Amino acid sequence: MIPAETERLWADYLATEQVRIRQHSTEALESFINALLLLPAEVWQPWAQQFAQRVVDKQEDTPIRFPLFRAVIFPALLTGMENAVPGSARCLAGLAQLLYKSPACLEQLPENQRTEYGLLLRATHDDPNDTSAKRRLLILMRSRFDYALHELPCGVLYGHNGATIGQCDELLEELADYEKLAGDFGLETEDQELIAEALFHIPAYRRYLSERALHTNYEAFLSGYEST
């Protein structure tokens, strides 16, 4: 619980957001941040963690401006992650668009936790019972495999380019995780079909890459592969 005078500064800032005069909002937010950070970390960080949770999990309609994210929200969630506080990584994943535009914050995270996907994996690792994180991760996995396969029969994508043999191996590992996670929620028809398509095309594309000199393209490779 932050002191009443600091809470008043927060209320003053929120009032300026309603008026929408940028200079006033910027000044009020700066006053609040300066006062908040004078408090002990064990006081202001729980406030920031709880605020982030309300915005991410309960869709509280309060804007998180970059100064607040960089100076207050991110450090509090990072501390929460370092101490394996449940929900910290999930909340940061929910603020991924702010994170992507904050290089100094990104650099403080392990390389494999600098994306929404990586943070949700971390969240489910920290708390295997975090159903909210698992549901978001499932949606993200579904989207990733939809994207990876959306240019078939041209090939399997990894990012903006065709997958390499090593990236096909990574996709197969991720596919096993996707199938397990989807099974935890009761395998939907949409997931069954997508997983079946991925189980066929990723190994097939991997083999095509290893035999690339023998085939015009993946579509031509498939005409012979499907008959074997």
Side-chain angles (χ1 to χ4, degrees), residues 74 78 81 92 99 105-111 113-114:
F74 175 79
L78 181 63
M81 289 173 60
L92 191 54
L99 180 63
C105 296
L106 274 174
E107 291 173 2
Q108 298 178 59
L109 293 168
E111 194 168 344
Q113 294 171 30
R114 294 178 182 178

Side-chain angles (χ1 to χ4, degrees), residues 93 96 100 112-124 136-137 140-141 144-145 170 173-175 177-178:
Y100 296 154
N112 65 348
Q113 294 171 30
R114 294 178 182 178
T115 63
E116 182 182 8
Y117 177 74
L119 286 165
L120 287 173
L121 284 176
R122 168 66 187 270
T124 58
R136 293 181 198 175
L137 183 58
L140 206 55
M141 284 182 161
R144 283 161 70 90
F145 280 101
E170 290 179 29
E173 290 180 9
E174 186 177 325
L175 183 61
D177 293 335
Y178 170 32

Side-chain angles (χ1 to χ4, degrees), residues 205-225:
Y205 191 69
R206 188 187 189 286
R207 180 172 167 183
Y208 158 72
L209 292 174
S210 70
E211 303 173 358
R212 198 164 196 168
L214 305 176
H215 306 282
T216 307
N217 52 39
Y218 181 57
E219 187 174 8
F221 166 83
L222 280 177
S223 63
Y225 184 77

Side-chain angles (χ1 to χ4, degrees), residues 1-3 6 32-33 35-50 68 70-77 79:
M1 192 67 137
I2 59 176
T6 312
F32 168 73
I33 291 172
L36 188 72
L37 296 182
L38 288 175
L39 302 172
E42 58 269 23
V43 174
W44 69 261
Q45 288 192 348
W47 178 91
Q49 291 164 357
Q50 290 163 17
L68 183 66
R70 292 168 179 154
V72 176
I73 304 301
F74 175 79
L77 293 177
T79 298

